[in-house]
Structures are given as structure tokens and as C-alpha cells.
Amino acid sequence: MTKRTLGIHLEDYRIICVEAKVKNSVVVEKIATTELPRGIVTDGIIVEPASIVEILTEMLSKIEVSTDRAIVNIPSNLVQIKCIPTEKDYITIADDQLSWEISQHHNESILDFEISHYTFPTTTVLVGARRAALAGRAQVLEHAGLLVTSADPDPIAVFNLISLTTSSKTPINTMIIDVQTPFSQIVLSAKNEFGYGGSFFTPPELFGYGSGQRTWREFGEDLLASTKMVIKSL
């Protein structure tokens, strides 16, 4: 059955709103982008929710969306992702085992994180997302009149897009270097399995924000080094 959904991508400096028709593939029907005033979102954290609600409501009205079902992104710096080998019946053992796995990568209380997982034939992807960040994003969308059906970490969202735009019968190995502010990430798709190369800070001055001195050449060298490390680890 064909369904329509909204994808709300909220960054530090802009909001992207996409309405798509989803069945066996994704067909983008409407898209809008709005620049955000500096400071109302910082490092993925919504600082001024009322301002975001007002801007988002205006965007939705302008492009005349036909659904209120929405998926919102979670920046990679607000999540912890761990890939482990899938074991038979592993996920049915106990939720606290999943929490324990994620807790090994945190210096903070695991109670501050929402734990979820994605299961693939050979890999289980564990995700710990900050509860406060999740709640903040969900509340903003709800106050703008939307029904939040999912909150997807940026790396997972990129992988899902790859999966929907490639054939499952003839899978290809793909590496995506997703450059955005405040953090970029490297995402892998190998035989329809998720792989994560990590996230790294993106200097905002590359996009005309802030007063830093980093150049695209320097950032490109960092990207190249990170990519080589990911390839070497495969």
C-alpha cells in the first residue's frame, strides 16, 4: 500500500522538509528548505523550540503538505551506535542486555538514553539516543501539528535511503560520506547490511558560519584519512 510521509531534517542552520510517496521506492513530491537564525539550534539541541515551531508551521503551510505523518532526524553526535554480530534469539533474551552493551560506550547514566535496535541477517545495530534530545524534537513537531512516527539517527536515515534506492536482488557495496553541520558521518551499505564509519565535527566556517579558519582542502584531507581508516578496517 502506498503511503505518504514527511521527512523533517533539522540541522543547526536549516530545516529541510520533504513529502514523499513510499511503496517499493521513494518518490519525492514536495521539498522545502529554510535557513535558521543562528543560535536557535546548537549542536543538534533545540534551544528555542517556539521559534522552530513557528518556522516549521510556516514551511508546512507554504508547500501545502497532504499528510501529518512525519519522521524526524537525530544528529549523529546525539546518538551512540554499536554494530555487533547477530546471534540467534539474541534480541529476545532481555532488554537489559541491550542496555548493557550500549552502556559500555558511555560515561553517563544509561537512564538518560533511549535504547533501540535494528536487526540484519549478520549484524545487529544497537542505538542509544539522548532522551532529552528525542523529546525536544518530538515536541516541536507535535506543536507544529505533526504525528511523529519515527526518530531516525542520521546514519540510519542515510542507510535507509540507500536501501530504498537500490535493488535488494542485486545489492551493491556503497560508501556514503554525508557532509553536514554540525557533524558529518560515513555510512556503509554492504550486501544490504548497515555499516558505520563514525561521525566527525564539520567546521561551520566551510558553509559561511562562524569565524574559524579551516579550509575545504584541510577538511578534505581529514575526510580522506577517515575514509582510508574505514576501508582498512573492513
Side-chain angles (χ1 to χ4, degrees), residues 26 71 118 120 150 152-166 187 189 194:
V26 176
I71 299 172
Y118 301 81
F120 300 95
S150 179
D152 292 346
D154 281 341
I156 300 295
V158 170
F159 173 80
N160 288 340
L161 181 60
I162 296 172
S163 300
L164 285 168
T165 54
T166 58
V187 180
S189 176
F194 173 83

Side-chain angles (χ1 to χ4, degrees), residues 42-98:
T42 302
D43 291 339
I45 301 295
I46 299 175
V47 180
E48 298 182 22
S51 298
I52 296 296
V53 170
E54 181 179 351
I55 293 170
L56 181 56
T57 300
E58 184 177 343
M59 288 181 68
L60 298 174
S61 175
K62 185 175 181 180
I63 65 175
E64 298 180 339
V65 297
S66 57
T67 180
D68 62 354
R69 297 171 58 85
I71 299 172
V72 66
N73 74 307
I74 312 169
S76 56
N77 61 304
L78 299 178
V79 299
Q80 178 67 49
I81 297 176
K82 180 181 180 182
C83 299
I84 63 175
T86 296
E87 298 178 16
K88 185 179 179 181
D89 298 327
Y90 175 80
I91 295 302
T92 63
I93 294 176
D95 289 340
D96 60 357
Q97 188 165 357
L98 301 179

Side-chain angles (χ1 to χ4, degrees), residues 193-234:
E193 296 260 350
F194 173 83
Y196 188 41
S199 65
F200 42 93
F201 179 71
T202 307
E205 60 267 25
L206 299 180
F207 295 91
Y209 307 111
S211 56
Q213 300 298 318
R214 292 294 303 277
T215 65
W216 274 105
R217 180 176 180 177
E218 293 171 326
F219 184 61
E221 291 173 350
D222 291 344
L223 283 177
L224 180 60
S226 298
T227 302
K228 287 181 177 179
M229 290 177 61
V230 171
I231 294 174
K232 188 176 181 180
S233 67
L234 297 177

Side-chain angles (χ1 to χ4, degrees), residues 73-182:
N73 74 307
I74 312 169
S76 56
N77 61 304
L78 299 178
V79 299
Q80 178 67 49
I81 297 176
K82 180 181 180 182
C83 299
I84 63 175
T86 296
E87 298 178 16
K88 185 179 179 181
D89 298 327
Y90 175 80
I91 295 302
T92 63
I93 294 176
D95 289 340
D96 60 357
Q97 188 165 357
L98 301 179
S99 298
W100 181 87
E101 291 278 4
I102 286 293
S103 71
Q104 303 309 300
H105 299 266
H106 285 293
N107 294 322
E108 305 166 69
S109 171
I110 198 65
L111 297 177
D112 294 332
F113 293 82
E114 186 71 32
I115 309 301
S116 61
H117 66 272
Y118 301 81
T119 305
F120 300 95
T122 63
T123 306
T124 296
V125 182
L126 305 182
V127 179
R130 293 183 180 276
R131 291 183 187 274
L134 279 173
R137 287 176 175 248
Q139 288 171 7
V140 161
L141 266 64
E142 289 168 357
H143 289 161
L146 299 177
L147 173 65
V148 180
T149 60
S150 179
D152 292 346
D154 281 341
I156 300 295
V158 170
F159 173 80
N160 288 340
L161 181 60
I162 296 172
S163 300
L164 285 168
T165 54
T166 58
S167 172
S168 59
K169 296 181 180 179
T170 56
I172 59 174
N173 296 337
T174 306
M175 175 184 290
I176 299 294
I177 303 174
D178 178 28
V179 178
Q180 58 176 291
T181 55

